[in-house]
C-alpha cells in the first residue's frame, strides 16, 4: 500500500519501495480502516480514568465504603472533590441514602456517578458546592445529574485538555482515528482550543447542545463543516437532544411499566413507572426543525421503545437526516422505520453484554427486541458502533466483540440471534468503511492478527501495532 498526501494512493503486489519516503514492513499483520467511536463523552471519559472505580459495588453501602476507603487513602488533595464512577444500582437491594455518606461531614465533597451517567449520589458537602444544599436525598438524575457532575468535576482548561490528550493517545493505541464527542459542554469552542495546542491524535465531530444552538446558528455552523484553525481535524457534529433517560436509572421511556415500581418501598412515582419523557414531542420537533433549517442534523437520544417511536415520529414529520442514539429497546412495529434514508443509529454493543442482567430484570419478556442489531440491520438500518465512554471503555474492540459474540464472559451468548457478522461490525465501527480503496483517507489501523475467527476475548484484546490519521502516525507499538 502506498500512502501519499494523507490518502491511500495505491494498493497492490507490485508497488516499488523506491516511491516511498518511508517503508514500513508489516510482517504479515492486517491493515483495516481505522475506527470511529460514534458516541463519546470525552471529558467525562478522561476524568473517569482518574476516579474511584465503583464497578464492583454490589450495594449502596458497598459503594459508600469504597469511597470512604479512598478518602482514608488520601486519593485527592484537601479541598478537592472525591468522585467515584461506575456503579450500577439497577439490581441493588438497598438505596443510596445520606446517612451512608455521613462520614464525609459537611465540608468534604463526595460524589458517586453511575455507569450510565444518568444518576449521581452527592454528599452534603458536594450538594453545597453545586448550590443544591438541602436536597433531601442527594440523589440527582438526568439533567440535574449531568449539570451537577459537570460543575463539581470542573478543573481548569489546561488540566482538562491534558487529561483529554492523554485519553486520545490511549484511544489511538486501540486503533481509533475519530470520535463523535457528545460531551455536555460548548464543544466547538473546547475543541478549537485543544487543536490550537497541537495536532490531535484523532479526528473529532463536535456535538452541539440546545444551550449553544442559537450561537451555532448565528455563527453559520453546519453539520460537517470543518472548524477553522483545527488542522482539518475537527468538524461540526449534530445537535444532541434527549427523549428519555437510561435503563439502569429506570428512566428509559417504555410502553410497559418497570417491575416493582408501584406500592413497594422506594417505588417510583406513578408518572415515572414507564420512565421519563425528557423532551415532549412538540418541543422535540421544534428544536429539530430549528436545527435542520440551519443545516445542523439532530441526534436524538432514545433508549426505551416508546422513546424510539417518538424519535421516529419526529424524523417522519421533518424528513431530515440525522441520528438516533442508542435504540436499545424497540417496538417490532417500528423496525422498518429505522431504515429511512439519511438516518444513522449510533449503537453501543458493549452495553448489551454489560446490561444483560439488568435488562432481563427490568425488561423481562421483551429482551428479544433489546439491542436488536441483527433485526435492525436486516430491516435496512445503518448502524455505527460507539462506546458511550465512560459508560463503556473507549475501545472499539469491546464493541466489535460484543456485536459479533453477544457475551463478554464465560456465559452463553445473550440473545445470539441478534449478533451481526464480523465484517458488518468492523464496518459499523469504521463509519461505514469496508476495505481499503484508493483515494480513501489514510486513516488506518495495523493489527497483529486477522480478526476473522477469533474468540470473543481475542477480539477484545486485539494487539494494535500502529494507527494512522491522514497518513500521520498517531500510534506505533
Amino acid at each position: 500500500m502506498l500512502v501519499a498526501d494523507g490518502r491511500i494512493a495505491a494498493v497492490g503486489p507490485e508497488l516499488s519501495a523506491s516511491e516511498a519516503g518511508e517503508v514500513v514492513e508489516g510482517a504479515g499483520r492486517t491493515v483495516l480502516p481505522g475506527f470511529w467511536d460514534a458516541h463519546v463523552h470525552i471529558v467525562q471519559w478522561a476524568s473517569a480514568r482518574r476516579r474511584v472505580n465503583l464497578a464492583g459495588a454490589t450495594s449502596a453501602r458497598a459503594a459508600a465504603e469504597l469511597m470512604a476507603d479512598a478518602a482514608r487513602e488520601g486519593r485527592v488533595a484537601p479541598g478537592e472533590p472525591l468522585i467515584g464512577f461506575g456503579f450500577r444500582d439497577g439490581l441493588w437491594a438497598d438505596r443510596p441514602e445520606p446517612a451512608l455518606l455521613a462520614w464525609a461531614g459537611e465540608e468534604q465533597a463526595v460524589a458517586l456517578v453511575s455507569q450510565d451517567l444518568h444518576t449521581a449520589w452527592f454528599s452534603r458537602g458536594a450538594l453545597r458546592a453545586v448550590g443544591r444544599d438541602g436536597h433531601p436525598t442527594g440523589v440527582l438524575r438526568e439533567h440535574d445529574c449531568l449539570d451537577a457532575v459537570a460543575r463539581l468535576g470542573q478543573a481548569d482548561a489546561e488540566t482538562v485538555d491534558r487529561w483529554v490528550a492523554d485519553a486520545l493517545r490511549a484511544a489511538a493505541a486501540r486503533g481509533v482515528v475519530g470520535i463523535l464527542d457528545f460531551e455536555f459542554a460548548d464543544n466547538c469552542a473546547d475543541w478549537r482550543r485543544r487543536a490550537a495546542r497541537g495536532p490531535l491524535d484523532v479526528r473529532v465531530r463536535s456535538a452541539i447542545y440546545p444551550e449553544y444552538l442559537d450561537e451555532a446558528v448565528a455563527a453559520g455552523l453546519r453539520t460537517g463543516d470543518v472548524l477553522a484553525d483545527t488542522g482539518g481535524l475537527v468538524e461540526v457534529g449534530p445537535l444532541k437532544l434527549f427523549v428519555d433517560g437510561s435503563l439502569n436509572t429506570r428512566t428509559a421511556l417504555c410502553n410497559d411499566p418497570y417491575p416493582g415500581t408501584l406500592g413497594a418501598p422506594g417505588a417510583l412515582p406513578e408518572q415515572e413507572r414507564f420512565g421519563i419523557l425528557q423532551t415532549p414531542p412538540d418541543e422535540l420537533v421544534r428544536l429539530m426543525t430549528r436545527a435542520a433549517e440551519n443545516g445542523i442534523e439532530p441526534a436524538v437520544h432514545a433508549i426505551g421503545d416508546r422513546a424510539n417511536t417518538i424519535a421516529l415520529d419526529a424524523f417522519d414529520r421533518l424528513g431530515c437526516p440525522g441520528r438516533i442514539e442508542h435504540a436499545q429497546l424497540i417496538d417490532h412495529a417500528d423496525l422498518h422505520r429505522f431504515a429511512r434514508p439519511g438516518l444513522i443509529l449510533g449503537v453501543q454493543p458493549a452495553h448489551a453484554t454489560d446490561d444483560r442482567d439488568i435488562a432481563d430484570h427490568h425488561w423481562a419478556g421483551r429482551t428479544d427486541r433489546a439491542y436488536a442489531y441483527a433485526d435492525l440491520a436486516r430491516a435496512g438500518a445503518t448502524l455505527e458502533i460507539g462506546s458511550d465512554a465512560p459508560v463503556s471503555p473507549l475501545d472499539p474492540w469491546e464493541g466489535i466483540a460484543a456485536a459479533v459474540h453477544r457475551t463478554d464472559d464465560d456465559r452463553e451468548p445473550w440473545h445470539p440471534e441478534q449478533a451481526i457478522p464480523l465484517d458488518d461490525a468492523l464496518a459499523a465501527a469504521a463509519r461505514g468503511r469496508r476495505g481499503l480503496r484508493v483515494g480513501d483517507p489514510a486513516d488506518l489501523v495495523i493489527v497483529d492478527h486477522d480478526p476473522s475467527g477469533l474468540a470473543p476475548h481475542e477480539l477484545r484484546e486485539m494487539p494494535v501495532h500502529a494507527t494512522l490519521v491522514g497518513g500521520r502516525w498517531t500510534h506505533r507499538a
Side-chain angles (χ1 to χ4, degrees):
M1 175 186 297
L2 180 65
V3 171
D5 299 322
R7 294 189 174 271
I8 299 173
V11 179
E14 305 300 330
L15 298 180
S16 170
S18 64
E19 299 180 57
E22 179 184 7
V23 178
V24 176
E25 171 56 58
R29 294 183 173 88
T30 296
V31 186
L32 300 167
F35 299 120
W36 274 77
D37 192 310
H39 195 120
V40 173
H41 304 269
I42 193 61
V43 172
Q44 293 183 68
W45 168 240
S47 302
R49 298 172 81 226
R50 292 163 167 76
R51 291 176 175 172
V52 180
N53 183 1
L54 302 177
T58 57
S59 66
R61 181 172 297 279
E65 289 173 353
L66 286 172
M67 297 300 290
D69 290 343
R72 284 191 291 270
E73 293 166 4
R75 288 282 294 272
V76 295
E80 291 185 7
L82 177 64
I83 303 178
F85 173 76
F87 73 79
R88 295 175 181 271
D89 62 333
L91 298 177
W92 284 358
D94 60 353
R95 290 179 292 155
E97 295 178 355
L100 294 175
L101 298 180
W103 53 265
E106 297 290 334
E107 301 302 324
Q108 174 67 57
V110 176
L112 296 78
V113 183
S114 67
Q115 183 78 18
D116 62 11
L117 305 178
H118 288 250
T119 301
W121 176 18
F122 276 37
S123 70
R124 289 191 296 273
L127 289 168
R128 182 178 298 112
V130 298
R132 293 298 191 94
D133 199 12
H135 189 282
T137 66
V139 178
L140 307 176
R141 297 195 296 168
E142 302 308 334
H143 185 275
D144 288 345
C145 165
L146 294 172
D147 178 67
V149 171
R151 287 192 284 136
L152 184 69
Q154 278 181 342
D156 62 89
E158 184 174 353
T159 298
V160 170
D161 291 351
R162 186 170 64 251
W163 293 352
V164 168
D166 182 55
L168 296 185
R169 281 191 293 273
R174 298 302 294 147
V176 174
V177 299
I179 63 171
L180 174 45
D181 183 21
F182 284 109
E183 186 59 50
F184 189 64
D186 185 355
N187 289 310
C188 290
D190 288 349
W191 281 109
R192 279 195 177 106
R193 182 186 70 245
R194 290 168 193 146
R197 298 181 184 274
L200 301 172
D201 284 330
V202 305
R203 301 185 189 275
V204 178
R205 299 189 77 209
S206 176
I208 298 167
Y209 278 81
E211 291 87 336
Y212 304 100
L213 178 58
D214 288 344
E215 182 180 342
V217 169
L221 299 181
R222 302 172 71 88
T223 298
D225 286 353
V226 176
L227 291 177
D229 304 319
T230 63
L233 293 172
V234 182
E235 65 180 49
V236 180
L239 173 71
K240 179 67 179 295
L241 300 167
F242 289 83
V243 175
D244 65 346
S246 71
L247 165 60
N248 184 75
T249 306
R250 281 84 74 204
T251 50
L253 187 63
C254 300
N255 291 319
D256 300 285
Y258 288 88
T261 54
L262 188 64
L268 295 174
E270 170 66 23
Q271 68 271 23
E272 296 182 14
R273 292 183 62 215
F274 296 82
I276 290 180
L277 175 64
Q278 293 212 44
T279 308
D282 288 346
E283 176 66 3
L284 179 68
V285 169
R286 186 190 72 80
L287 289 167
M288 290 174 64
T289 300
R290 168 94 167 122
E293 288 178 346
N294 290 279
I296 299 174
E297 297 177 1
V300 182
H301 168 116
I303 287 183
D305 49 4
R306 178 60 186 151
N308 277 281
T309 298
I310 291 171
L312 289 166
D313 288 346
F315 277 108
D316 284 348
R317 285 181 62 178
L318 269 70
C320 67
R323 303 174 61 88
I324 292 178
E325 299 299 324
H326 309 303
Q328 288 183 2
L329 184 67
I330 60 172
D331 189 323
H332 283 137
D334 284 333
L335 259 178
H336 69 284
R337 304 174 68 199
F338 287 99
R340 64 172 300 113
L343 181 64
I344 294 171
L345 303 189
V347 300
Q348 299 78 37
H351 293 2
T353 52
D354 289 343
D355 293 345
R356 60 189 289 179
D357 298 317
I358 294 173
D360 281 340
H361 177 70
H362 290 299
W363 289 344
R366 291 170 279 164
T367 53
D368 60 308
R369 49 190 176 90
Y371 312 89
Y373 307 133
D375 282 351
L376 288 164
R378 280 191 294 269
T382 299
L383 306 181
E384 289 187 356
I385 289 178
S387 64
D388 202 9
V391 181
S392 295
L394 206 174
D395 184 340
W397 298 101
E398 296 275 353
I400 292 166
V404 174
H405 294 289
R406 302 284 294 197
T407 186
D408 63 356
D409 53 30
D410 294 332
R411 291 183 289 177
E412 291 297 311
W414 188 68
H415 288 288
E417 73 279 4
Q418 295 296 350
I420 61 175
L422 175 64
D423 287 349
D424 291 346
L426 292 171
R431 210 176 173 188
R433 288 181 65 186
R434 293 178 182 268
L436 305 168
R437 300 175 303 179
V438 172
D440 282 351
D443 296 349
L444 306 169
V445 56
I446 304 172
V447 296
D448 281 3
H449 311 301
D450 181 342
S452 302
L454 296 183
H457 73 278
E458 293 172 322
L459 260 186
R460 289 196 303 273
E461 299 164 7
M462 173 69 80
V464 174
H465 183 69
T467 308
L468 300 95
V469 172
R472 171 174 58 94
W473 300 104
T474 56
H475 167 70
R476 297 181 84 165

